[in-house]
């Protein structure tokens, strides 16, 4: 039931992106079976779903074809101009903007949250995590009264090293440092490779938490145009770098970037790494989301191409397994020792209980089944949300529907301000994440990040309808 | 059984410090009962214990008197010259020294650890903490899969605010920010009030973790002479400050300072605060240990005298309740908002489970009974250790035995190097904490911090004997 949806979603996107233009022939059922290693029934179900969505039409004896009049789908977000769009490197001043948005949202009764980069609690394996925690308390309870081991619990580090192998990253457990979420990993990575005043190149738009870290460390951000489909533009970065003294690091989210959902092709990752190598820059890779990617094979981390220890890989279980346990980790290549020192001096090693519990959970083999189930539910939630947005928003709107994760990236018609919309929606009990939060500039004020972490129910549908009404009235 | 020992320890120190000189009359049993609000049997037991230790002698019908020939006690550590001893403010470079000591100790089989500023696991209330954790998992298990609340769990913040009242600190729960140990609290405090290159005045000697934080933040330390009895010297600080541009903050451990065990008198705390006020400096108060003080009344935090929000109080449950749970907190006065922002951007809020478990534990009323028991065991362990050191070390050694906590501060005879001793002791399977770790200088190379966190058993006694032999052979 879930595999066919992933397949269908893949082709839905190909159609929306124009890779399969109107009138084009869809691969045959047999072709799909071979290409994606799926059964005939899965291939058939996917085609029928696309047909039911009005994206394909069946022609007798000839197979499926893309329809010209696609129903209930917005066109994809436009590509940014790839060069000469960037600002100068600037000290970050997002904190006021971001925290006023967060504070306003928290001070009001929110009925429907369309803002969260987070799944609903029921998408996480509470029962099994609870059982693992209880087992650890019974068997290793003394961890409550013993200082935790430096670097992290060996059992968890081993489990994470085994998982990293799936992304073709070879790490020994000792090369993994457990942190308080990806947030602490990113803070440590930036502290390890920069001094205040230095410049860090980031995607534009990017995750506001990264901008807040840059701001709190008195670093300057160099925002680089980023494609909603293929991620950071290397030509744009190269052009900007020439004009920017003090550039020390590049920080990217190559997989299911927040907020765009972009996924960098492997060739782009390798090109970026080679360029960082040539320029002697640190490459900070934030891989928080790749486990939520709906592809036939796991994504390859940039770290997997790294031969010289130039990549600091930062990751987290916060989004994918347990938002309440705040477990992250990093592997810092040539900076590993410095990172260990900084972690020790900044907060000492993480407490043991959640680490031991998650190691127990992984060792019982529950990890990949949970992820498969979560991805399947998220496909559904994204598809429902994309369809509802297409139904209720003006046709000039545009939408990126990534191949995984929680977030859609919505481009509103000309003239609209998502900051204004944010206030109007709050009055209706709806929380939005305005695009302006994701940049040091106001460039993305016409965008919204739409969270699909919650099951699509009547309340969410009604909220999208209200959003549509507000957009119409704000024009 | 425990109260009399606290009382006896109090008088033992008065005798060692010369407050009660040889030949002086000890307060009568009735006098002790009135002065300390204890029963007659407690007062009597205390006197008999002191008599058994050879510190008092009973004279028929006249009461107890201090003996001239005190047995098995070293004289107290000498006071530092209070002015003109300080270095210039210097960038801290302790990390190599400290981490090589830690690494050498970890790489070797250590049989007896005389270095730890930590109690043995059996001194902490494992069973009750485990029960509280299990209760939380049953009743609030969803905390594993829900992002934790900003600032910390309300229940824990309320419990800590109630406890702070005992130190006469008035705080609302919202003024308490939960952190990963006191270490993260100190990092945030320093980040909030300094820029790289700024100067922070610290006690000399001081906790090496503080020096490591200063080093990692590129701050300069101004080491201020500090009395093993009354703490930081304000005249020395005032003199040094005149010569030091860029001074932004003073960081002190007013209660049971690490490594000295000094306790600042209330008047000294007030004078320091008033001076910081006049100089417009931030005052960072590290109160990690005060719950382990053996006094008739709780110690008053400097924060309790603060009317203008100038004190950033940093504290922790790591030493006093649960070394495995890494719970700390801070209350930052005028910098509270900035501290909240830095905490959020550095590591996001702490996970909920340990916070809820400790709140449950406190609310069940177990906190103060545990502390009473722990203090009583520590008195005993300190007394045994002090006696063993007096027995086995050369008479020219000197020793500070604080009124609480884990640590004794031992001054070795002239000509000895604790760094050299450290290596020799490691060869015998004994881990020491050389004085040189506690300063940016080598000024304290003739000192050792002796940890008394572990029950005094035959292995510890033998280790002290070996230490005595090594000291003799190193002279
Ligand atoms: C790209 C990215 N990195 C890091 C984080 C924060 O990670 P954590 O919650 O593990 O600290 C987020 C959360 O939204 C994110 O989107
Ligand atoms: C004075 C002092 N402050 C802070 C700490 C570290 O506190 P925590 O373990 O809560 O991070 C220590 C630990 O030795 C200490 O002695």
């Amino acid at each position: 039931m879930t595999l066919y949806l992933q397949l269908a979603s893949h082709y839905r996107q190909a159609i929306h992106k124009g890779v399969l233009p109107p009138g084009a022939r869809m691969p045959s059922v047999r072709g799909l079976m071979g290409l994606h290693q799926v059964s005939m029934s899965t291939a058939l179900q996917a085609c029928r779903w696309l047909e039911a969505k009005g994206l394909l039409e069946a022609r007798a004896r000839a197979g499926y074809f893309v329809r010209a009049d696609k129903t209930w789908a917005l066109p994809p977000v436009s590509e940014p101009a790839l060069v000469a769009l960037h600002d100068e490197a600037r000290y970050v001043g997002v904190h006021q903007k971001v925290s006023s948005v967060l504070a306003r949202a928290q001070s009001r009764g929110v009925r429907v949250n369309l803002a969260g980069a987070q799944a609903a609690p029921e998408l996480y394996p509470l029962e099994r995590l609870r059982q693992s925690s209880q087992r650890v308390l019974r068997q290793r309870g003394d961890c409550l009264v013993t200082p935790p081991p430096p670097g992290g619990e060996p059992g968890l580090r081993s489990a994470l090293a085994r998982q990293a192998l799936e992304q073709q990253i070879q790490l020994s457990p000792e090369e993994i440092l457990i942190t308080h979420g990806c947030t602490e990993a990113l803070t440590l990575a930036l502290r390890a490779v920069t001094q205040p005043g230095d410049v860090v190149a980031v995607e534009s738009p990017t995750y506001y938490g990264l901008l807040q870290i840059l701001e709190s460390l008195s670093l300057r951000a160099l925002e680089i145009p980023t494609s909603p489909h293929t991620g950071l533009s290397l030509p744009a970065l190269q052009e900007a770098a020439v004009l920017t003294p003090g550039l020390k690091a590049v920080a990217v989210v190559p997989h299911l970037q927040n907020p765009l959902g972009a996924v960098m092709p492997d060739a782009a990752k390798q090109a970026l790494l080679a360029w960082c190598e040539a320029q002697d820059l640190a490459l900070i890779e934030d891989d928080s989301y790749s486990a939520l990617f709906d592809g036939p094979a796991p994504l390859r981390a940039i770290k997997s191409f790294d031969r010289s220890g130039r990549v600091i890989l930062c990751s987290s279980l916060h989004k994918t397994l347990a938002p309440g346990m705040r477990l992250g980790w990093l592997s810092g290549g040539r900076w590993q020792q410095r990172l260990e020192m900084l972690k020790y001096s900044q907060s000492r090693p993480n407490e043991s209980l959640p680490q031991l519990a998650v190691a127990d959970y992984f060792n019982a083999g529950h990890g990949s089944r949970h992820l498969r189930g979560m991805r399947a539910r998220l496909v559904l939630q994204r598809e429902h949300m994309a369809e509802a947005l297409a139904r209720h928003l003006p046709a000039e709107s545009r939408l990126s529907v990534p191949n995984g994760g929680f977030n859609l990236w919505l481009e509103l018609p000309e003239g609209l301000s998502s900051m204004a919309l944010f206030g109007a929606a709050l009055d209706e009990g709806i929380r939005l994440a305005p695009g302006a939060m994701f940049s040091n500039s106001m460039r993305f004020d016409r965008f919204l990040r739409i969270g699909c972490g919650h099951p699509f129910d009547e309340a969410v549908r009604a909220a999208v309808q209200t959003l549509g009404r507000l957009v119409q009235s704000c024009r």
Side-chain angles (χ1 to χ4, degrees), chain A residues 240-289:
Chain A
V242 174
L243 308 169
T244 312
L247 182 62
K248 290 292 162 54
V250 180
V252 288
V253 185
H255 303 145
L256 300 175
Q257 197 258 11
N258 179 2
L260 295 173
V263 174
M264 283 177 83
D266 279 356
K269 297 175 200 167
Q270 285 172 286
L272 176 61
L273 176 59
W275 183 78
C276 288
E277 196 74 69
Q279 302 288 312
D280 196 19
L281 299 175
L283 180 46
I284 300 174
E285 173 176 30
D286 174 347
D287 199 40
S288 298
Y289 290 104

Side-chain angles (χ1 to χ4, degrees), chain A residues 272-464:
Chain A
L272 176 61
L273 176 59
W275 183 78
C276 288
E277 196 74 69
Q279 302 288 312
D280 196 19
L281 299 175
L283 180 46
I284 300 174
E285 173 176 30
D286 174 347
D287 199 40
S288 298
Y289 290 104
S290 67
L292 302 181
F293 178 69
D294 284 320
L299 294 163
R300 269 193 82 158
I302 306 182
K303 183 81 183 163
S304 74
F305 300 107
D306 180 21
R307 295 285 160 272
S308 69
R310 178 165 299 280
V311 176
I312 304 179
L313 175 63
C314 301
S315 196
S316 176
L317 303 172
H318 181 81
K319 306 284 179 177
T320 54
L321 180 66
M325 294 172 92
R326 301 294 308 132
L327 283 170
W329 58 278
L330 63 76
S331 186
R334 63 180 71 182
W335 294 282
Q336 188 71 6
Q337 261 207 320
R338 181 161 166 74
L339 287 158
E340 285 168 7
M341 182 276 276
L342 288 171
K343 165 67 173 154
Y344 187 80
S345 89
Q346 176 169 303
S347 68
R348 295 279 181 278
N350 279 42
E351 55 274 49
S352 294
L353 176 56
Q355 298 185 66
L356 293 170
V358 167
D360 178 89
Y361 171 89
F362 283 146
N363 290 339
H366 301 310
S368 43
R369 181 151 5 100
H370 153 65
L371 283 174
R372 273 198 304 279
M374 182 166 178
R375 285 193 296 256
R377 294 183 68 165
L378 289 176
V379 174
L380 214 62
Q381 294 172 194
R382 286 194 309 272
E383 291 297 343
H384 279 139
M385 182 68 85
E387 188 171 321
L389 289 168
R391 241 180 240 276
H392 296 296
L393 270 93
E396 307 92 302
S397 311
R398 294 167 156 267
L399 187 69
S400 277
V401 186
N403 273 327
F406 311 118
N407 301 322
L408 310 186
W409 183 238
L410 175 66
E411 185 174 355
L412 298 167
E414 294 282 347
L416 274 158
S417 154
S418 65
M419 276 307 230
L421 210 54
F422 169 76
L426 257 197
D427 290 339
E428 309 263 357
I430 300 166
R431 179 167 168 186
L432 301 175
M437 294 171 82
F438 301 92
S439 165
N440 207 12
S441 76
M442 287 301 284
R443 188 178 304 125
F444 298 100
D445 190 30
R446 202 150 57 74
F447 292 80
L448 285 174
R449 187 188 70 186
I450 304 280
C452 310
H454 284 260
F456 192 88
D457 57 16
E458 187 44 38
V460 176
R461 204 203 50 71
V464 174

Side-chain angles (χ1 to χ4, degrees), chain A residues 9-274:
Chain A
S9 169
H10 178 74
Y11 280 96
R12 193 191 52 68
Q13 296 211 38
I15 294 167
H16 288 168
K17 287 179 190 160
V19 179
L20 280 179
R25 176 199 284 271
M26 176 75 181
S28 69
V29 168
R30 195 158 302 276
L32 290 172
M33 289 165 63
L35 273 168
H36 302 281
Q37 299 293 313
V38 294
S39 70
M40 173 176 298
S41 95
T42 300
L44 259 173
Q45 276 181 296
C47 293
R48 291 204 186 115
W49 187 87
L50 290 163
E51 187 182 12
K53 293 276 162 202
L55 293 169
L56 295 184
E57 56 189 0
R59 298 194 195 145
R61 265 185 302 274
Y64 284 100
F65 290 81
V66 178
R67 279 174 61 157
D69 52 342
K70 305 176 244 157
T71 0
W72 307 134
L74 295 171
V77 169
S78 28
E79 290 287 327
L82 282 192
V83 288
L85 229 191
H86 58 83
D87 316 303
E88 278 176 51
R90 281 197 298 182
Y91 284 101
V92 183
V94 294
H95 184 70
Q96 285 307 340
K97 183 165 68 178
V98 168
S99 60
S100 88
V101 165
L102 299 180
R104 278 170 70 191
Q106 273 158 20
S107 68
R108 301 285 290 272
V110 167
R111 282 180 300 109
V112 180
N113 186 353
L114 298 181
Q118 197 78 45
E122 61 260 43
L123 270 74
Y124 296 102
L126 168 57
E127 267 325 306
R128 292 203 189 278
L129 291 172
R130 192 205 314 254
Q131 280 160 18
S132 289
S133 304
Q134 275 160 340
R135 188 156 38 240
V136 170
L137 281 171
R138 275 197 309 276
Q139 295 172 357
R140 306 269 314 262
D142 58 324
C143 74
L144 297 177
V145 295
T146 319
E153 284 291 341
L156 179 61
R157 297 162 90 184
S158 301
L160 291 171
R162 275 195 301 279
Q163 289 179 13
L165 276 181
E166 289 174 26
Q167 296 184 276
Q168 307 192 30
I169 315 170
Q170 301 271 359
L171 292 176
S172 69
E174 298 72 43
E175 291 173 294
I176 287 178
L177 178 65
I178 305 295
T179 60
H180 295 292
C182 190
T183 303
E184 191 179 47
L186 290 169
T187 301
L188 295 170
L190 287 163
R191 289 186 64 193
V193 301
T194 64
Q195 293 291 323
D198 283 346
V199 179
V200 178
V202 300
E203 294 144 324
S204 184
T206 191
Y207 165 51
Y208 60 81
L210 176 62
L211 295 174
Q212 288 180 304
I213 298 174
L214 295 179
E215 177 170 357
S216 78
L217 295 174
S218 302
L219 295 168
R220 287 181 292 156
L222 183 65
E223 294 192 22
I224 304 297
T226 298
S227 154
H229 307 295
T230 56
L232 185 99
S233 159
L234 181 55
L237 172 58
Q238 287 166 332
E239 173 160 321
V242 174
L243 308 169
T244 312
L247 182 62
K248 290 292 162 54
V250 180
V252 288
V253 185
H255 303 145
L256 300 175
Q257 197 258 11
N258 179 2
L260 295 173
V263 174
M264 283 177 83
D266 279 356
K269 297 175 200 167
Q270 285 172 286
L272 176 61
L273 176 59

